[in-house]
Amino acid sequence: MTAAAMTQPPATWAVYVHFPYCLHRCAYCDFATIAVRDVPREAYLASIVQEFTTRTRDLPAAPIASVFLGGGTPSLWGPRNISDLLEMLHRWGGLLPDAEITLEANPGTLESGDLRAYASAGIRRVSVGIQALDDGRLAALDRIHDAGAARRTLAEIADLLASGRLRSASADLLFGAPGQTMQDLQRDVDAVLGYGLPHLSAYSLTVEAGTPLAGQVARGLRKAPDDDLQSDMLDALPKMTAGHGLHRYEVSNFATEGHQCRHNLTYWTGGRYLALGVGAHGFLPPRQDAAAGVLGHRYGNTRSHAAWSAAVGKGRVCEEIQEDIDAETHVTERLMTGLRLAAGVDLAALRRDVGDQPCEALVLRAERAVRRGRPLELEADWLRLRPEGVRLLDAILTELA
Amino acid sequence: MKAKNIRNFSIIAHIDHGKSTLADRILEMTGAVEKRDMQAQFLDSMDIERERGITIKSQAVRLHYTAKDGETYTLHLIDTPGHVDFGYEVSRSLAACEGALLVVDAVQGVEAQTLANVYLAIDADLTLIPVINKIDLPAADPEEVKREIEEGIGLDAHEAVMASAKSGIGIQDTLEAVVRLIPPPEGDPEAPLRAMVFDSQYDAYRGVIIQVRVFDGTVTKGDKIFFMSGGTEYEVQEIRVRTPKEVVVDNLSVGEVGILVCGIKTVRDVRVGDTITHARRKAAEALQGFKEIQQMVYSGIFPVESTEYQNLRDAIEKLALNDSSFSWEPETSGALGFGFRCGFLGLLHMEVFQERLEREYDVDLITTAPSVIYRVEKVDGTIMELSNPGDLPVSGDIKIIREPFIRCTIPTPSEYIGPVVKLCTERRGVQKDMKYMSPKRVVLEYEMPLAEIIFDFFDKLKTVTRGYASLDYEFLEFRAGDLVKLDILLHSEVVDALSVIVHRDAAYTKGKALVAKLRKVIPRQQFDVAIQAAVGARIISRETVKALRKDVTAKCYGGDISRKRKLLEKQKAGKRRMKQVGAVDVPQEAFLAVLSTDDD
């Protein structure tokens, strides 16, 4: 068996495009975002086109299975620009007929009819940042929309799903903010899924270092989220969503059958992806001058808008992270993302991708952890976490990695 | 060589008062070392000696000096270990001399080690020459220091040499004082050989080399010699002297100092202080002052990774080759696995040893809190010595526990007398003397259990006196005490490596403080961890580290896998530094928690 399966270019591509602009930066956010009043829609697209041209110069074209427009608030970009972008991608490798094309959208930035226009421009799946359906909690989270706007957006999505204009849709909920009870969360879940959405992402509110929220918590202006309550909520979510036919397929993600996010699954199963835009992260086959044993190359574009646009304007890129990934590192990555999946880590696929030997070391560690009573299931071709292990996943990972 | 032109002397001083610099200048002035070959602190050959400014091994050099009287003298400068942990070695080095230079810093004045060393020198009947050093510093106050020497030590400072070793001031005056004031060696060249071993070192090429001072007779290459206390016989293969380059000589006679190479395998085969005589013509009586050394402080040393055991063992063995005052034996701890119980002369000796292990052999260590040695008299009349609290018999079997007491000498500015007295009283100290060296400086003398100073006493002393007090101590005797074993239980299991022996009156406070401290250093785990302190079966304190309820990243940061992986690697590194005790992950610092529990 060859260890080099991964060094080959992928049969299909996933493409991530980052749109950094927001009208407002939320207190808990630590993504590469810029809050502006006038969004430079066309100029940004022009830079994206330049970066795409530069990056695909040495990249073998292949059909595109998924496109994800994330941010920021890419729903501020405008349907025409998005249509131009998708057309460019299609011209390069061809969008597969069933390609998953996702747009992130925020309720506060959408006018009635906007989502319909985006669907016409080629968007097939939307992911909306609902976060909560309670005005008090939305204000506490520093969001610019209210529950009314959120409900109007959800109703519009329900219509587009029913008419087949959208293939799929997801809503984000943030849970575990101080003051939220288990009943509050149940009400949010029921309300959102009541619109017939086949996918839900539920994230526990996390105080990320360097965010305004972290500063407020440190100065005692805000309470830190309660770990114990978040833990109970994490355990309760599968039951809450099951009534609506959605099952946990990843720690924070729930879907009905066939509506799991294909693009994200690419990240989580070691797939390669091209990433464009300020602060975007990609994973490509090894560069030509890479040392032996390198299976792939990860890069992260600079988070500085000025540096990024200046570089791409000159036909270059500007990366703040460049990493050659070897077999051992990749095994860690697969473990790290794969254990978050209900399906677990596909050991057969991993052996194919990195070779038998680096995989065996993992299996030995897993066997030891199982003997020590950790909530893991180890089969011939799969390693997965039992559901009760989800809330302590990171602790278990440190023993396995 | 005529004994009348020999002068054997050493230099005694408190740390940093300039002993090594003065030695360097003397070497330069006598032409023993060219200035361009001069390496600061020539005699301190180990890195750790240079860095810490202390001398661990004795070194003797032979110098030639033509004095103002026109005579050429042979000087043997015997550099002694600079710390009273090595007090016995110091006393033997001093016994090889007829005089000593007492170096006192012109700014700092008389300090603890000055006093301790002076007492040893007086015991050895040496002629002392005060040298007031650093007189060119702006804050120097030589007159005040003279007064301290006269009042505090009782030494005539009238003829004290004024010097600045750093600037080369007073070096010739010092040498003149040496030849004029220190008496030449006395001894009978025709009598049977008597030479004293004052140091031994291991040399990878020559085996053990010993430094000796001849008192009577002559030792010649090829002689069969006999160690009077060791009862062993060797042949002298080679005789050398350091100038400081090593030079081969044929013999050593009365008053001379040199190195013998006799094919001895380990430093343990030679005892410092032993008397060498001829195997065929033995001296009737050995020289006085030989003592078996006694380790005073013990600590468990374990590898962090159990796979490192063999490396640690090799490293300890290598270090022990050159350190006859260190003892070690295997020890198994339920909590820490396989390791070693190591005995040291004192705290500094322990620190230096551990530092060398980590630095020179690159092994990660977990060291348990230091313990003194206890003598336990059992009900059945037997007596056992133990240093590991885990070895203490059940209380019903114990009749008396005795612990080592020391005499502490603490010079301090008089304004801090109050806090120092309070600290010493808290540590079960009994004041024996209080002597004013000057209106501003006082020397306190306490008798105290050694166990009370091996934790954080010195740090505390420095804190309450803003760094101005110093401390020295010497062993006094074993005294009975009302002592109990304080156990720590993690998750209901006694962790042997955390047990300590404490005074019964302090058990409750200490137990509570220890448990509180451990609660802070032990991280949350996947289950509740109960931390308890117990004396016998009685639990005296309890706290719980609540189980970690949630430890999972909410979002996988989109495609930014690198960031997530780095977080994981950081967590992993944190976990690797912990020791698994039963099911509980215990960080290294927990094992030293007992060292400082009262800061919070």
Side-chain angles (χ1 to χ4, degrees), chain A residues 30 204 208 228 230-232 234 252 267 273 281 323 329 333 336 340 391-395 398 401, chain B residues 524 526 548-565 568 571-572 575:
Chain A
D30 73 333
S204 56
E208 298 284 356
D228 290 354
Q230 286 197 343
S231 164
D232 290 341
L234 207 53
S252 304
Y267 294 162
Y273 46 98
H281 288 260
E323 246 189 333
T329 309
E333 294 177 341
M336 195 176 80
R340 294 177 64 89
R391 63 187 173 83
L392 290 174
L393 173 57
D394 289 5
T398 56
Chain B
R524 293 176 79 180
Q526 296 180 30
L548 184 64
R549 288 293 312 280
K550 173 174 159 285
D551 183 10
V552 55
T553 312
K555 201 164 186 166
C556 214
Y557 303 114
D560 187 358
I561 304 290
S562 307
R563 170 167 162 190
K564 166 82 177 140
R565 204 185 64 240
L568 176 63
Q571 282 182 320
K572 231 169 66 182
K575 193 176 165 76

Tab-separated table of all heavy atoms in Angstrom, chain A residues 30 204 208 228 230-232 234 252 267 273 281 323 329 333 336 340 391-395 398 401, chain B residues 524 526 548-565 568 571-572 575:
chain	number	residue	atom	x	y	z
A	30	ASP	N	-14.060	36.338	16.901
A	30	ASP	CA	-12.613	36.433	16.710
A	30	ASP	C	-12.224	35.993	15.307
A	30	ASP	O	-11.140	35.523	15.068
A	30	ASP	CB	-11.872	35.626	17.777
A	30	ASP	CG	-11.982	34.132	17.563
A	30	ASP	OD1	-12.979	33.693	16.966
A	30	ASP	OD2	-11.073	33.407	18.002
A	204	SER	N	-21.564	26.562	21.703
A	204	SER	CA	-21.567	27.152	23.033
A	204	SER	C	-20.796	28.462	22.966
A	204	SER	O	-19.753	28.551	22.319
A	204	SER	CB	-20.944	26.205	24.054
A	204	SER	OG	-19.649	25.840	23.659
A	208	GLU	N	-13.278	33.962	23.733
A	208	GLU	CA	-12.005	33.809	23.029
A	208	GLU	C	-11.064	34.927	23.433
A	208	GLU	O	-11.463	36.097	23.483
A	208	GLU	CB	-12.208	33.852	21.513
A	208	GLU	CG	-13.081	32.740	20.958
A	208	GLU	CD	-12.363	31.393	20.870
A	208	GLU	OE1	-11.160	31.331	21.171
A	208	GLU	OE2	-13.032	30.410	20.504
A	228	ASP	N	-20.742	24.309	33.557
A	228	ASP	CA	-21.579	23.174	33.910
A	228	ASP	C	-22.892	23.202	33.125
A	228	ASP	O	-23.348	22.186	32.618
A	228	ASP	CB	-21.847	23.159	35.422
A	228	ASP	CG	-20.581	22.803	36.206
A	228	ASP	OD1	-19.570	22.461	35.554
A	228	ASP	OD2	-20.612	22.874	37.440
A	230	GLN	N	-23.396	24.776	30.237
A	230	GLN	CA	-23.084	24.516	28.830
A	230	GLN	C	-22.904	23.019	28.591
A	230	GLN	O	-23.311	22.486	27.555
A	230	GLN	CB	-21.805	25.263	28.431
A	230	GLN	CG	-22.024	26.771	28.285
A	230	GLN	CD	-20.907	27.429	27.501
A	230	GLN	OE1	-19.835	26.868	27.324
A	230	GLN	NE2	-21.170	28.639	27.008
A	231	SER	N	-22.306	22.368	29.575
A	231	SER	CA	-22.096	20.940	29.453
A	231	SER	C	-23.426	20.195	29.390
A	231	SER	O	-23.635	19.303	28.567
A	231	SER	CB	-21.260	20.481	30.640
A	231	SER	OG	-21.329	19.093	30.771
A	232	ASP	N	-24.373	20.593	30.268
A	232	ASP	CA	-25.687	19.955	30.255
A	232	ASP	C	-26.393	20.213	28.928
A	232	ASP	O	-27.081	19.352	28.384
A	232	ASP	CB	-26.537	20.490	31.411
A	232	ASP	CG	-26.009	20.005	32.764
A	232	ASP	OD1	-25.251	19.008	32.769
A	232	ASP	OD2	-26.345	20.629	33.794
A	234	LEU	N	-24.996	20.793	26.034
A	234	LEU	CA	-24.329	20.000	25.004
A	234	LEU	C	-24.891	18.572	25.008
A	234	LEU	O	-25.111	17.975	23.957
A	234	LEU	CB	-22.826	19.984	25.310
A	234	LEU	CG	-21.827	19.808	24.197
A	234	LEU	CD1	-22.050	20.811	23.080
A	234	LEU	CD2	-20.426	19.973	24.756
A	252	SER	N	-21.060	20.150	17.107
A	252	SER	CA	-21.922	21.332	17.107
A	252	SER	C	-22.909	21.349	15.950
A	252	SER	O	-23.564	22.359	15.722
A	252	SER	CB	-21.060	22.598	17.038
A	252	SER	OG	-20.120	22.618	18.092
A	267	TYR	N	-13.378	19.514	5.251
A	267	TYR	CA	-12.366	19.933	6.242
A	267	TYR	C	-12.094	18.813	7.237
A	267	TYR	O	-10.960	18.592	7.654
A	267	TYR	CB	-12.868	21.120	7.085
A	267	TYR	CG	-13.089	22.425	6.366
A	267	TYR	CD1	-13.883	23.408	6.950
A	267	TYR	CD2	-12.494	22.704	5.140
A	267	TYR	CE1	-14.086	24.628	6.341
A	267	TYR	CE2	-12.704	23.923	4.520
A	267	TYR	CZ	-13.498	24.884	5.126
A	267	TYR	OH	-13.692	26.088	4.526
A	273	TYR	N	-8.718	21.782	0.063
A	273	TYR	CA	-9.591	22.889	-0.297
A	273	TYR	C	-8.773	24.118	-0.620
A	273	TYR	O	-7.743	24.381	-0.029
A	273	TYR	CB	-10.612	23.174	0.803
A	273	TYR	CG	-10.049	23.215	2.213
A	273	TYR	CD1	-9.741	24.425	2.828
A	273	TYR	CD2	-9.834	22.029	2.920
A	273	TYR	CE1	-9.231	24.458	4.117
A	273	TYR	CE2	-9.322	22.057	4.208
A	273	TYR	CZ	-9.018	23.267	4.800
A	273	TYR	OH	-8.493	23.286	6.062
A	281	HIS	N	-8.119	30.148	5.044
A	281	HIS	CA	-7.200	29.029	5.244
A	281	HIS	C	-7.452	27.921	4.235
A	281	HIS	O	-8.578	27.455	4.114
A	281	HIS	CB	-7.368	28.454	6.645
A	281	HIS	CG	-6.830	29.371	7.700
A	281	HIS	ND1	-5.593	29.196	8.276
A	281	HIS	CD2	-7.352	30.493	8.233
A	281	HIS	CE1	-5.386	30.172	9.146
A	281	HIS	NE2	-6.441	30.973	9.144
A	323	GLU	N	2.465	25.759	6.226
A	323	GLU	CA	2.849	24.566	6.966
A	323	GLU	C	2.871	23.361	6.039
A	323	GLU	O	1.875	23.075	5.380
A	323	GLU	CB	1.807	24.311	8.061
A	323	GLU	CG	2.329	24.465	9.453
A	323	GLU	CD	1.307	23.987	10.473
A	323	GLU	OE1	0.092	24.029	10.203
A	323	GLU	OE2	1.752	23.562	11.542
A	329	THR	N	1.626	14.423	11.566
A	329	THR	CA	0.812	15.612	11.834
A	329	THR	C	-0.597	15.422	11.294
A	329	THR	O	-1.576	15.777	11.937
A	329	THR	CB	1.461	16.840	11.164
A	329	THR	OG1	2.824	16.891	11.557
A	329	THR	CG2	0.760	18.118	11.556
A	333	GLU	N	-4.388	15.621	12.912
A	333	GLU	CA	-5.481	16.452	12.389
A	333	GLU	C	-6.746	15.623	12.158
A	333	GLU	O	-7.860	16.044	12.507
A	333	GLU	CB	-5.056	17.105	11.073
A	333	GLU	CG	-3.921	18.102	11.241
A	333	GLU	CD	-3.450	18.694	9.909
A	333	GLU	OE1	-3.735	18.085	8.841
A	333	GLU	OE2	-2.805	19.739	9.934
A	336	MET	N	-8.295	14.756	15.432
A	336	MET	CA	-8.851	15.957	16.050
A	336	MET	C	-10.198	16.328	15.454
A	336	MET	O	-11.144	16.660	16.163
A	336	MET	CB	-7.822	17.047	15.751
A	336	MET	CG	-7.882	18.295	16.477
A	336	MET	SD	-6.416	19.235	15.912
A	336	MET	CE	-7.013	19.870	14.353
A	340	ARG	N	-14.712	14.454	16.364
A	340	ARG	CA	-15.871	15.340	16.543
A	340	ARG	C	-17.077	14.830	15.758
A	340	ARG	O	-18.198	15.279	15.981
A	340	ARG	CB	-15.520	16.766	16.091
A	340	ARG	CG	-14.461	17.434	16.957
A	340	ARG	CD	-14.090	18.807	16.418
A	340	ARG	NE	-15.203	19.736	16.466
A	340	ARG	CZ	-15.472	20.524	17.515
A	340	ARG	NH1	-14.708	20.479	18.578
A	340	ARG	NH2	-16.505	21.341	17.474
A	391	ARG	N	-18.667	15.911	25.651
A	391	ARG	CA	-18.360	17.133	26.412
A	391	ARG	C	-16.927	17.163	26.942
A	391	ARG	O	-16.451	18.194	27.374
A	391	ARG	CB	-19.380	17.330	27.536
A	391	ARG	CG	-19.386	16.239	28.566
A	391	ARG	CD	-20.537	16.406	29.565
A	391	ARG	NE	-20.621	15.273	30.446
A	391	ARG	CZ	-19.870	15.134	31.535
A	391	ARG	NH1	-19.024	16.062	31.857
A	391	ARG	NH2	-19.982	14.058	32.291
A	392	LEU	N	-16.252	16.005	26.921
A	392	LEU	CA	-14.863	15.993	27.390
A	392	LEU	C	-13.876	15.671	26.263
A	392	LEU	O	-12.744	15.245	26.485
A	392	LEU	CB	-14.701	14.981	28.526
A	392	LEU	CG	-15.377	15.396	29.830
A	392	LEU	CD1	-15.299	14.283	30.858
A	392	LEU	CD2	-14.737	16.666	30.385
A	393	LEU	N	-14.345	15.906	25.045
A	393	LEU	CA	-13.563	15.497	23.882
A	393	LEU	C	-12.110	15.990	23.915
A	393	LEU	O	-11.182	15.234	23.652
A	393	LEU	CB	-14.262	15.999	22.605
A	393	LEU	CG	-13.475	15.796	21.312
A	393	LEU	CD1	-13.141	14.339	21.105
A	393	LEU	CD2	-14.271	16.315	20.133
A	394	ASP	N	-11.913	17.249	24.256
A	394	ASP	CA	-10.545	17.784	24.179
A	394	ASP	C	-9.612	17.089	25.166
A	394	ASP	O	-8.443	16.851	24.868
A	394	ASP	CB	-10.540	19.301	24.419
A	394	ASP	CG	-11.147	20.053	23.243
A	394	ASP	OD1	-11.645	19.379	22.312
A	394	ASP	OD2	-11.138	21.293	23.257
A	395	ALA	N	-10.153	16.765	26.342
A	395	ALA	CA	-9.336	16.063	27.331
A	395	ALA	C	-8.938	14.680	26.803
A	395	ALA	O	-7.814	14.217	26.982
A	395	ALA	CB	-10.100	15.927	28.645
A	398	THR	N	-6.197	14.881	24.117
A	398	THR	CA	-4.812	15.063	24.579
A	398	THR	C	-4.175	13.721	24.937
A	398	THR	O	-2.970	13.570	24.889
A	398	THR	CB	-4.716	15.993	25.810
A	398	THR	OG1	-5.534	15.480	26.835
A	398	THR	CG2	-5.118	17.402	25.479
A	401	ALA	N	-3.693	12.013	21.041
A	401	ALA	CA	-2.911	12.650	19.965
A	401	ALA	C	-1.418	12.470	20.205
A	401	ALA	O	-0.992	12.277	21.333
A	401	ALA	CB	-3.251	14.125	19.874
B	524	ARG	N	-8.564	20.528	37.245
B	524	ARG	CA	-9.803	19.749	37.203
B	524	ARG	C	-9.607	18.548	36.280
B	524	ARG	O	-8.960	18.642	35.248
B	524	ARG	CB	-10.961	20.624	36.703
B	524	ARG	CG	-11.332	21.728	37.672
B	524	ARG	CD	-12.409	22.623	37.091
B	524	ARG	NE	-13.735	22.004	37.200
B	524	ARG	CZ	-14.850	22.579	36.766
B	524	ARG	NH1	-14.815	23.762	36.189
B	524	ARG	NH2	-16.007	21.966	36.900
B	526	GLN	N	-11.406	14.480	34.927
B	526	GLN	CA	-12.683	13.999	34.411
B	526	GLN	C	-13.611	13.498	35.523
B	526	GLN	O	-14.695	13.000	35.262
B	526	GLN	CB	-12.456	12.914	33.344
B	526	GLN	CG	-11.731	13.502	32.136
B	526	GLN	CD	-11.459	12.501	31.045
B	526	GLN	OE1	-12.208	11.553	30.871
B	526	GLN	NE2	-10.405	12.709	30.304
B	548	LEU	N	-14.100	18.153	35.914
B	548	LEU	CA	-14.207	18.950	34.713
B	548	LEU	C	-15.498	18.518	34.033
B	548	LEU	O	-15.680	17.345	33.734
B	548	LEU	CB	-12.998	18.613	33.843
B	548	LEU	CG	-12.789	19.347	32.560
B	548	LEU	CD1	-12.547	20.813	32.845
B	548	LEU	CD2	-11.581	18.756	31.854
B	549	ARG	N	-16.413	19.457	33.835
B	549	ARG	CA	-17.679	19.057	33.222
B	549	ARG	C	-17.587	19.139	31.708
B	549	ARG	O	-18.181	18.360	30.984
B	549	ARG	CB	-18.813	19.961	33.727
B	549	ARG	CG	-19.213	19.725	35.163
B	549	ARG	CD	-19.856	18.352	35.356
B	549	ARG	NE	-20.890	18.071	34.370
B	549	ARG	CZ	-22.121	18.539	34.431
B	549	ARG	NH1	-22.497	19.293	35.428
B	549	ARG	NH2	-22.997	18.238	33.492
B	550	LYS	N	-16.861	20.162	31.233
B	550	LYS	CA	-16.879	20.362	29.799
B	550	LYS	C	-15.486	20.751	29.351
B	550	LYS	O	-14.855	21.626	29.932
B	550	LYS	CB	-17.866	21.478	29.474
B	550	LYS	CG	-17.859	21.914	28.035
B	550	LYS	CD	-18.971	22.900	27.796
B	550	LYS	CE	-18.706	23.739	26.575
B	550	LYS	NZ	-17.690	24.761	26.797
B	551	ASP	N	-15.012	20.080	28.340
B	551	ASP	CA	-13.716	20.412	27.764
B	551	ASP	C	-13.786	20.053	26.291
B	551	ASP	O	-13.313	19.030	25.856
B	551	ASP	CB	-12.603	19.625	28.476
B	551	ASP	CG	-11.221	20.006	27.957
B	551	ASP	OD1	-11.122	20.988	27.200
B	551	ASP	OD2	-10.254	19.321	28.310
B	552	VAL	N	-14.471	20.891	25.542
B	552	VAL	CA	-14.592	20.632	24.113
B	552	VAL	C	-14.705	21.971	23.395
B	552	VAL	O	-15.400	22.878	23.841
B	552	VAL	CB	-15.791	19.710	23.794
B	552	VAL	CG1	-17.080	20.260	24.347
B	552	VAL	CG2	-15.916	19.470	22.304
B	553	THR	N	-13.948	22.100	22.315
B	553	THR	CA	-13.993	23.329	21.536
B	553	THR	C	-15.331	23.435	20.839
B	553	THR	O	-15.816	22.468	20.265
B	553	THR	CB	-12.868	23.293	20.488
B	553	THR	OG1	-11.676	22.907	21.148
B	553	THR	CG2	-12.691	24.626	19.831
B	554	ALA	N	-15.943	24.616	20.910
B	554	ALA	CA	-17.261	24.784	20.311
B	554	ALA	C	-17.179	24.663	18.797
B	554	ALA	O	-17.865	23.876	18.171
B	554	ALA	CB	-17.835	26.147	20.700
B	555	LYS	N	-16.266	25.445	18.226
B	555	LYS	CA	-16.271	25.560	16.780
B	555	LYS	C	-14.917	25.133	16.269
B	555	LYS	O	-13.899	25.386	16.899
B	555	LYS	CB	-16.511	27.030	16.429
B	555	LYS	CG	-17.031	27.257	15.051
B	555	LYS	CD	-17.598	28.659	14.958
B	555	LYS	CE	-18.278	28.861	13.605
B	555	LYS	NZ	-19.107	30.067	13.603
B	556	CYS	N	-14.906	24.486	15.126
B	556	CYS	CA	-13.627	24.026	14.620
B	556	CYS	C	-12.931	25.047	13.733
B	556	CYS	O	-12.116	24.720	12.904
B	556	CYS	CB	-13.799	22.693	13.894
B	556	CYS	SG	-12.371	21.645	14.107
B	557	TYR	N	-13.253	26.347	13.924
B	557	TYR	CA	-12.570	27.433	13.218
B	557	TYR	C	-12.515	27.256	11.706
B	557	TYR	O	-11.481	27.433	11.094
B	557	TYR	CB	-11.134	27.587	13.735
B	557	TYR	CG	-11.065	27.827	15.203
B	557	TYR	CD1	-10.497	26.904	16.061
B	557	TYR	CD2	-11.631	28.982	15.744
B	557	TYR	CE1	-10.464	27.135	17.419
B	557	TYR	CE2	-11.600	29.206	17.107
B	557	TYR	CZ	-11.014	28.286	17.936
B	557	TYR	OH	-10.976	28.496	19.276
B	558	GLY	N	-13.618	26.878	11.095
B	558	GLY	CA	-13.630	26.751	9.646
B	558	GLY	C	-12.488	25.876	9.187
B	558	GLY	O	-12.228	24.828	9.755
B	559	GLY	N	-11.767	26.369	8.188
B	559	GLY	CA	-10.683	25.547	7.649
B	559	GLY	C	-9.375	25.737	8.382
B	559	GLY	O	-8.354	25.187	7.991
B	560	ASP	N	-9.383	26.524	9.468
B	560	ASP	CA	-8.131	26.816	10.174
B	560	ASP	C	-7.761	25.667	11.101
B	560	ASP	O	-7.886	25.740	12.311
B	560	ASP	CB	-8.269	28.125	10.946
B	560	ASP	CG	-6.941	28.566	11.548
B	560	ASP	OD1	-5.944	27.832	11.394
B	560	ASP	OD2	-6.904	29.637	12.172
B	561	ILE	N	-7.312	24.575	10.492
B	561	ILE	CA	-6.987	23.372	11.254
B	561	ILE	C	-5.694	23.584	12.040
B	561	ILE	O	-5.536	23.078	13.137
B	561	ILE	CB	-6.813	22.172	10.285
B	561	ILE	CG1	-8.078	21.989	9.430
B	561	ILE	CG2	-6.479	20.899	11.034
B	561	ILE	CD1	-9.288	21.496	10.130
B	562	SER	N	-4.781	24.388	11.464
B	562	SER	CA	-3.483	24.583	12.131
B	562	SER	C	-3.667	25.153	13.535
B	562	SER	O	-3.010	24.731	14.484
B	562	SER	CB	-2.611	25.546	11.319
B	562	SER	OG	-2.516	25.112	9.997
B	563	ARG	N	-4.567	26.128	13.634
B	563	ARG	CA	-4.776	26.783	14.927
B	563	ARG	C	-5.302	25.803	15.954
B	563	ARG	O	-4.850	25.746	17.089
B	563	ARG	CB	-5.762	27.932	14.734
B	563	ARG	CG	-6.245	28.536	16.021
B	563	ARG	CD	-6.942	29.826	15.731
B	563	ARG	NE	-7.779	30.261	16.833
B	563	ARG	CZ	-8.635	31.259	16.734
B	563	ARG	NH1	-8.779	31.891	15.586
B	563	ARG	NH2	-9.355	31.617	17.762
B	564	LYS	N	-6.259	24.998	15.519
B	564	LYS	CA	-6.838	24.010	16.412
B	564	LYS	C	-5.764	23.004	16.856
B	564	LYS	O	-5.698	22.596	18.009
B	564	LYS	CB	-7.991	23.317	15.664
B	564	LYS	CG	-8.507	22.056	16.287
B	564	LYS	CD	-9.500	22.330	17.406
B	564	LYS	CE	-10.041	21.014	17.959
B	564	LYS	NZ	-10.177	21.031	19.398
B	565	ARG	N	-4.909	22.629	15.890
B	565	ARG	CA	-3.881	21.656	16.223
B	565	ARG	C	-2.875	22.225	17.216
B	565	ARG	O	-2.407	21.546	18.115
B	565	ARG	CB	-3.172	21.199	14.955
B	565	ARG	CG	-2.523	19.820	15.105
B	565	ARG	CD	-1.720	19.427	13.892
B	565	ARG	NE	-0.620	20.319	13.702
B	565	ARG	CZ	-0.439	21.063	12.614
B	565	ARG	NH1	-1.293	20.999	11.613
B	565	ARG	NH2	0.598	21.866	12.529
B	568	LEU	N	-4.223	22.053	20.620
B	568	LEU	CA	-4.150	20.683	21.124
B	568	LEU	C	-2.726	20.357	21.582
B	568	LEU	O	-2.533	19.749	22.642
B	568	LEU	CB	-4.597	19.716	20.017
B	568	LEU	CG	-4.500	18.223	20.330
B	568	LEU	CD1	-5.421	17.860	21.489
B	568	LEU	CD2	-4.856	17.383	19.103
B	571	GLN	N	-2.092	21.861	24.925
B	571	GLN	CA	-2.726	21.090	26.000
B	571	GLN	C	-1.940	19.823	26.297
B	571	GLN	O	-1.783	19.413	27.436
B	571	GLN	CB	-4.149	20.692	25.590
B	571	GLN	CG	-5.154	21.806	25.714
B	571	GLN	CD	-6.545	21.325	25.345
B	571	GLN	OE1	-6.722	20.550	24.392
B	571	GLN	NE2	-7.547	21.778	26.077
B	572	LYS	N	-1.469	19.215	25.208
B	572	LYS	CA	-0.736	17.963	25.356
B	572	LYS	C	0.564	18.174	26.123
B	572	LYS	O	0.920	17.402	27.005
B	572	LYS	CB	-0.412	17.403	23.965
B	572	LYS	CG	-0.808	15.969	23.792
B	572	LYS	CD	-0.727	15.553	22.345
B	572	LYS	CE	0.694	15.567	21.808
B	572	LYS	NZ	0.745	15.200	20.380
B	575	LYS	N	-0.063	18.417	29.701
B	575	LYS	CA	-0.368	17.144	30.328
B	575	LYS	C	0.894	16.309	30.522
B	575	LYS	O	1.037	15.602	31.505
B	575	LYS	CB	-1.363	16.381	29.447
B	575	LYS	CG	-1.982	15.189	30.153
B	575	LYS	CD	-3.018	14.535	29.264
B	575	LYS	CE	-3.369	13.154	29.779
B	575	LYS	NZ	-4.235	13.177	30.926
